[in-house]
Amino acid sequence: RKAQIAAIRRSSGDLVLNVDSDTTLASDVIRKLALKMQDSAIGAAMGQLTASNRSDTWLTRLIDMEYWLACNEERAAQARFGAVMCCCGPCAMYRRSALLSLLDQYETQMFRGKPSDFGEDRHLTILMLEAGFRTEYVQDAIAATVVPDTLGPYLRQQLRWARSTFRDTLLLLRLLPGLDRYLTLDVIGQNLGPLLLTVTVLAGLAQLALTGTV
């Protein structure tokens, strides 16, 4: 995060593109994102993510499918109502003037009494929404990123992302009254689903332990 902030403060263009080190952009990504950002009401826009190592293992194939659904169903639906909830780190373009006004809040974010070191993309997106900007998704701006090919790294990644989602949802709640009602439904579903799954698994294990049946 500190490296990102240092780069933003040294930048001079109207737009800032954030790209992960393991991500490869299609040749037209910058042009397509910049065209979307011509609307001054938009503070950030993300491209479509794919798995560059999709063919490596069964897990990378599933993650590539997961990315397609996350981008072309979830993010596309959120963009329809003007508020993509997380402009993903591998490929996201920001309006520099808006970024500069938010950097102090971004840099000083704390979690459990310590400076935050995860969830940069989601928190920066929420700060953009809080400042009154729209956030968008550009389907044909394709970015290919390396995804975990074994379960251990994948589960650690998902745990980190889940922490970010639940933490920043608390910040998002105060914004929901000013956004479309669909987005309230989306946030409830996104956070309630994992909790219901946890309750279901625990109830199943309890039934097996107490009754010997499933």
Side-chain angles (χ1 to χ4, degrees), residues 1-2 4 106-121 123 160-161 163-164 167-168:
R1 184 179 299 210
K2 290 186 179 299
Q4 184 189 41
Y106 182 51
E107 188 171 17
T108 56
Q109 185 190 18
M110 305 290 285
F111 180 68
R112 298 175 64 185
K114 299 179 181 178
S116 177
D117 60 354
F118 65 93
E120 292 88 354
D121 48 5
H123 187 60
R160 188 173 68 252
W161 289 0
R163 290 167 66 202
S164 170
R167 179 196 64 188
D168 286 308

Side-chain angles (χ1 to χ4, degrees), residues 8 14 26 37 47 52 59 78 95 103 114 125 127 131 141 149-150 152 164 172 174 197 199 211:
I8 292 168
D14 294 334
M37 297 291 289
S52 59
L59 179 60
Q78 292 172 350
R95 190 168 306 283
L103 279 188
K114 299 179 181 178
T125 304
L127 290 178
D149 57 4
T150 57
S164 170
L172 183 62
R174 64 175 181 265
L197 177 60
V199 171
T211 69

Side-chain angles (χ1 to χ4, degrees), residues 77-84 129 133-136 179-180 183:
Q78 292 172 350
R80 169 66 179 79
F81 298 100
V84 172
L129 293 171
F133 290 96
R134 296 208 325 266
T135 50
E136 285 283 351
L179 301 176
D180 191 277
L183 296 165

Side-chain angles (χ1 to χ4, degrees), residues 15-198:
L15 303 172
V16 174
L17 181 68
N18 189 89
V19 185
D20 278 357
S21 59
D22 59 0
T23 300
T24 304
L25 302 182
S27 60
D28 57 358
V29 163
I30 294 176
R31 178 176 61 84
K32 288 177 175 177
L33 290 176
L35 282 172
K36 177 66 73 173
M37 297 291 289
Q38 285 182 321
D39 184 345
S40 60
I42 296 173
M46 65 167 284
Q48 180 180 174
L49 304 182
T50 64
S52 59
N53 56 334
R54 179 188 187 281
S55 59
D56 285 1
T57 67
W58 62 270
L59 179 60
T60 58
R61 292 187 184 92
L62 288 175
I63 294 173
D64 186 65
M65 292 168 60
E66 179 188 16
Y67 279 15
W68 192 95
L69 292 169
C71 289
N72 294 303
E73 291 191 354
E74 181 186 357
R75 299 306 198 282
Q78 292 172 350
R80 169 66 179 79
F81 298 100
V84 172
M85 299 300 183
C86 179
C87 290
C88 297
C91 178
M93 184 173 280
Y94 298 93
R95 190 168 306 283
R96 180 171 166 271
S97 57
L99 277 180
L100 291 176
S101 68
L102 301 171
L103 279 188
D104 287 342
Q105 294 180 68
Y106 182 51
E107 188 171 17
T108 56
Q109 185 190 18
M110 305 290 285
F111 180 68
R112 298 175 64 185
K114 299 179 181 178
S116 177
D117 60 354
F118 65 93
E120 292 88 354
D121 48 5
R122 183 174 295 275
H123 187 60
L124 196 52
T125 304
I126 289 175
L127 290 178
M128 282 287 177
L129 293 171
E130 194 172 32
F133 290 96
R134 296 208 325 266
T135 50
E136 285 283 351
Y137 168 62
V138 182
Q139 183 180 13
D140 57 353
I142 308 297
T145 189
V146 177
V147 301
D149 57 4
T150 57
L151 274 176
Y154 174 71
L155 292 175
R156 287 194 294 273
Q157 178 198 66
Q158 293 299 304
L159 178 60
R160 188 173 68 252
W161 289 0
R163 290 167 66 202
S164 170
T165 298
F166 286 116
R167 179 196 64 188
D168 286 308
T169 293
L170 296 175
L171 301 175
L172 183 62
L173 291 178
R174 64 175 181 265
L175 302 180
L176 291 177
L179 301 176
D180 191 277
R181 283 178 294 177
Y182 165 79
L183 296 165
T184 300
L185 179 64
D186 183 68
V187 169
I188 291 172
Q190 188 178 64
N191 287 275
L192 198 58
L195 295 177
L196 290 174
L197 177 60
T198 302

